[in-house]
Amino acid sequence: MQDDRVEQAARLVKSGKMNDARTILELILKEDRKNIPAWRWYAETLHKTSDKVRVWEYCLRYNPSNQEAEQALA
């Protein structure tokens, strides 16, 4: 179930296992580009601000006018 996978990825992020979480989140986002929680956690797996900005910009491409993405970019 997709929600279970997002929750699993969130637990991995919280435990510092960014690569494992990123792998799961990339699979989710390939299937569903509109999954805002997956985009949020995917951004958390990245260290560079420029990479996080790129992720939120992609999120907005698939989810125009999403307030969370707009706030993250502000």
Side-chain angles (χ1 to χ4, degrees):
M1 194 62 142
Q2 184 164 314
D3 291 340
D4 293 339
R5 291 185 299 165
V6 172
E7 289 176 18
Q8 178 187 11
R11 285 191 300 272
L12 289 167
V13 169
K14 290 175 184 178
S15 67
K17 297 178 181 177
M18 302 303 180
N19 289 334
D20 294 336
R22 194 175 304 121
T23 299
I24 293 168
L25 293 163
E26 286 171 353
L27 292 172
I28 294 168
L29 290 169
K30 283 181 183 178
E31 295 170 9
D32 180 10
R33 300 280 188 193
K34 295 188 179 204
N35 189 317
I36 301 301
W39 284 109
R40 180 184 327 115
W41 286 109
Y42 189 75
E44 288 295 317
T45 69
L46 303 169
H47 298 289
K48 292 183 182 178
T49 301
S50 60
D51 292 335
K52 291 179 186 228
V53 167
R54 181 179 42 82
V55 166
W56 284 114
E57 287 173 345
Y58 280 126
C59 178
L60 275 178
R61 183 181 303 167
Y62 298 105
N63 304 280
S65 301
N66 179 271
Q67 289 183 353
E68 184 174 354
E70 289 175 351
Q71 287 176 351
L73 287 170

